[in-house]
Amino acid sequence: MYDTFNGSAHPRSPREIAIAAMPGDERVWVPQAEGVWFRPLFLNTLQGQWCNLLRVRRAGILSRHLHPQPVHGYVIKGRWHYLEHDWVAETGSYVFEPPGEIHTLTVPADCEEMITFFNISGCMVYLDEANRQVGFEDVFTKIDMCRRHYEKVGLGADYIEQFIR
Ligand code: FE
């Protein structure tokens, strides 16, 4: 047993997180693009990793991207697919996205809303059709986006702190 304490967690263990993933307060959703939001759940600065919900209320191509580390997804609502694959991720689907794959996230026209939980390591590298990098996101750009949004909507910039380890 650990020898430094008598409680239920080691004193150097990070705090746990247990929250409503989809609370009634719309302000937790951070706008990402037209018709696209994310809801941060866990922002891991030690391993460069984050968990969030992605919510999309528009159809068509969202992004073409590469991630050099693995991504795990679980579809909570709606459906989506990658142009490069013939499968469709729909409500209840689990998806593993291998490191090094380039794919183009697309929501079909008959899907009014999709919500997917993503566990993303490393970064998202956004690419154009010629595979030239046009942007990137990592846990730190996510934190910055959240801080700006939560300050603007009145939750306060520090609202994001509860999700950061
Ligand atoms: Fe992906």
Side-chain angles (χ1 to χ4, degrees), residues 17 19-23 25-32 37-44 49-55 116-118 138-139 141-147 149-150 155 157 159-164:
I17 298 174
I19 52 170
M22 291 192 282
D25 190 344
E26 174 63 23
R27 296 177 300 172
V28 303
W29 293 92
V30 181
Q32 168 115 27
W37 299 260
F38 71 96
R39 190 288 198 253
L41 297 169
F42 176 51
L43 297 153
N44 180 348
Q49 173 254 339
W50 70 101
C51 294
N52 65 199
L53 301 180
L54 180 68
R55 185 179 74 184
T116 301
F117 171 86
F118 282 111
D138 63 11
V139 67
T141 66
K142 284 295 186 192
I143 288 171
D144 289 349
M145 282 177 77
C146 291
R147 288 187 71 83
H149 171 69
Y150 290 145
L155 289 170
Y159 184 78
I160 192 61
E161 296 296 327
Q162 64 188 297
F163 310 117
I164 301 174

Side-chain angles (χ1 to χ4, degrees), residues 63 65-67 71 80 82 97 101-105 118 124:
S63 75
H65 62 265
L66 156 75
H67 21 78
V71 173
W80 52 268
Y82 286 125
E97 304 184 12
E101 181 179 290
I102 294 171
H103 45 220
T104 311
L105 178 56
F118 282 111
M124 303 277 296

Side-chain angles (χ1 to χ4, degrees), residues 122-144:
C123 62
M124 303 277 296
V125 179
Y126 295 105
L127 303 171
D128 66 14
E129 289 84 57
N131 291 342
R132 286 177 297 232
Q133 182 172 337
V134 293
F136 82 98
E137 291 190 294
D138 63 11
V139 67
F140 302 105
T141 66
K142 284 295 186 192
I143 288 171
D144 289 349

